[in-house]
Amino acid sequence: MSTLVLDNGAYFAKIGYSHEKVSVIPNCQFRSKTSRLKTFTANQLDEIKDPSGLFYILPFQKGYLVNWDVQRKVWDHLFGKEMFKVDFADTNIVITEPYFNFSSIQESMNEILFEEYQFQSALRINAGSLSAHRYFHENNSELCCIVVDSGFSFTHIVPYCRGRKMKEGICRVNVGGKLLTNHLKEIISYRQLHVMDETYVINQVKEDVCYVSQDFYKDMEIAQLKGEDNTVMRDYVLPDFSAIKKGFCKPREEMNFTGKYKTGEQILRLTNERFAVPEMLFHPSDIGILEMGIPEALVNSINNMPEEMQPHFYKNIVLTGGNSLFPGFRDRVYKEVRALAPVEYQVSVVLPQNPICYPWEGGKLLAENPDFEEMVVTRDDYEENGHYVCEEKFDI
């Protein structure tokens, strides 16, 4: 009996058998400008010669799985001959879904997993629960941890105690990678070059040049300086998809501070955008989203917990999700939480080696756990009792 672990994110699906390595695959379909009629699914993205003006068809909207036709196509591709060759009758699946997922979505997922694909058994679980499982596995003396999962659609902050999530402390900040990329597109389109259709390229720009500032106003001052004094300024060479396949940042020594280049490359000059965009994770109110930033939400969530638990949460803050890969993200979270936390508490913020696959690795550990059998719902169970048995067993 093999177990397939699928961390079904809104942007990337992290998938792999529990005894193998993980693959990170775009969880969406694409259409390209050149071949309008052909739809590319998941990792067929690499076959597109010219990804400029790439059109995304996403199964998730605002963090919830709403477009089942697209999700089915992606799953068919992932489970099919080209990828994981799943033998459904002999496979358990561990699949993630967002916190407080709508029951209608949960029911659709049960039907698809058990009736269409006919998996032997399934476990639906939150990605944060898998991260917590992994964290407790590595630090078995700890009783509590608080998981910050900052992904594509939003950022969840969830306290766990002895492996159980504490519902009253769950907090969601509606800022995620999608918002950051879209905001960067708007700023660049307004200031230099119309890139509103270039989601793919600008997402790459964001990943390559953005960072989290440790002192916003100081960096703002540096960003206004002229010439070489401006250590924030970067020139980003945009890909033309013939000679330059992937955009890159010009090395400092090759930069021409007048901004005029002889070569025919298209250049984006980025200054304060580099840190003003990720700043939205810390101050969503900058762009009119009236919510707390991550550090404030963390402290707020911990304050909702019983007092004797609070010191344990402060010293076990775990960062996961793609946004935690911004340079400086961990240090900034530490700095702000330290400033807001009571003096006598120790604060520790952990950024795992690979924050995107961290929940998947938790799922892998869970699948090898002797109690795993107790947690899943088998197909026979489901056929006998329907959705009710899933509601009883899965704590979403």
Side-chain angles (χ1 to χ4, degrees), residues 134-372:
R134 165 100 202 256
Y135 186 77
F136 289 133
H137 185 84
E138 285 169 4
N139 309 280
N140 39 21
S141 59
E142 296 301 343
L143 297 173
C144 305
C145 76
I146 185 160
V147 176
V148 179
D149 186 359
S150 185
F152 182 66
S153 317
F154 28 57
T155 300
H156 275 112
I157 293 167
V158 190
Y160 282 86
C161 179
R162 292 198 164 89
R164 294 193 65 78
K165 60 174 181 268
M166 315 285 290
K167 287 213 165 70
E168 56 285 0
I170 298 181
C171 179
R172 184 177 103 184
V173 182
N174 291 316
V175 179
K178 179 183 189 174
L179 186 82
L180 302 189
T181 301
N182 288 344
H183 189 62
L184 185 58
K185 280 197 306 196
E186 281 175 29
I187 297 180
I188 294 173
S189 299
Y190 180 64
R191 295 180 185 172
Q192 350 185 11
L193 193 65
H194 180 72
V195 290
M196 290 309 284
D197 305 334
E198 303 293 344
T199 312
Y200 180 73
V201 178
I202 300 303
N203 193 54
Q204 215 135 45
V205 174
K206 176 189 79 174
E207 289 174 11
D208 291 345
V209 298
C210 286
Y211 70 95
V212 174
S213 164
Q214 301 307 311
D215 182 343
F216 187 75
Y217 294 106
K218 185 164 144 253
D219 279 2
M220 259 315 186
E221 281 169 18
I222 297 173
Q224 285 163 359
L225 300 172
K226 296 276 179 283
E228 303 225 7
D229 301 336
N230 186 341
T231 49
V232 171
M233 184 161 64
R234 292 285 182 276
D235 281 343
Y236 190 85
V237 181
L238 290 170
D240 57 9
F241 300 114
S242 57
I244 310 166
K245 285 278 183 279
K246 188 175 183 290
F248 60 93
C249 214
K250 262 211 182 309
R252 195 83 193 148
E253 56 277 8
E254 288 177 24
M255 272 176 65
N256 178 346
F257 290 96
T258 59
K260 301 279 184 286
Y261 287 94
K262 298 280 182 287
T263 47
E265 304 160 332
Q266 244 190 336
I267 300 278
L268 276 185
R269 173 153 284 187
L270 298 153
T271 48
N272 62 16
E273 299 89 350
R274 290 185 59 208
F275 55 87
V277 168
E279 186 67 20
M280 290 153 42
L281 291 161
F282 296 86
H283 291 115
S285 53
D286 287 356
I287 58 159
I289 297 175
L290 300 177
E291 291 187 19
M292 295 182 281
I294 292 176
E296 214 180 324
L298 252 168
V299 173
N300 187 49
S301 169
I302 293 176
N303 287 341
N304 286 338
M305 295 290 109
E307 201 158 307
E308 61 277 11
M309 285 184 187
Q310 292 181 11
H312 293 283
F313 285 121
Y314 278 117
K315 68 175 212 276
N316 294 290
I317 299 172
V318 189
L319 304 177
T320 64
N323 295 327
S324 55
L325 290 167
F326 281 121
F329 183 82
R330 185 203 150 275
D331 300 342
R332 174 74 180 271
V333 171
Y334 172 77
K335 182 179 143 190
E336 295 209 2
V337 171
R338 180 63 280 178
L340 293 164
V343 169
E344 64 275 17
Y345 292 165
Q346 174 197 347
V347 174
S348 152
V349 180
V350 181
L351 177 63
Q353 197 83 49
N354 187 343
I356 290 182
C357 300
Y358 197 75
W360 184 88
E361 287 157 1
K364 175 188 169 87
L365 287 169
L366 194 64
E368 291 158 2
N369 193 338
D371 302 338
F372 180 66

Side-chain angles (χ1 to χ4, degrees), residues 377-394:
V377 167
T378 63
R379 204 170 120 223
D380 300 345
D381 271 353
Y382 174 79
E383 281 171 358
E384 200 171 312
N385 306 310
H387 296 305
Y388 169 74
V389 67
C390 296
E391 268 173 54
E392 286 293 282
K393 265 202 167 168
F394 303 143

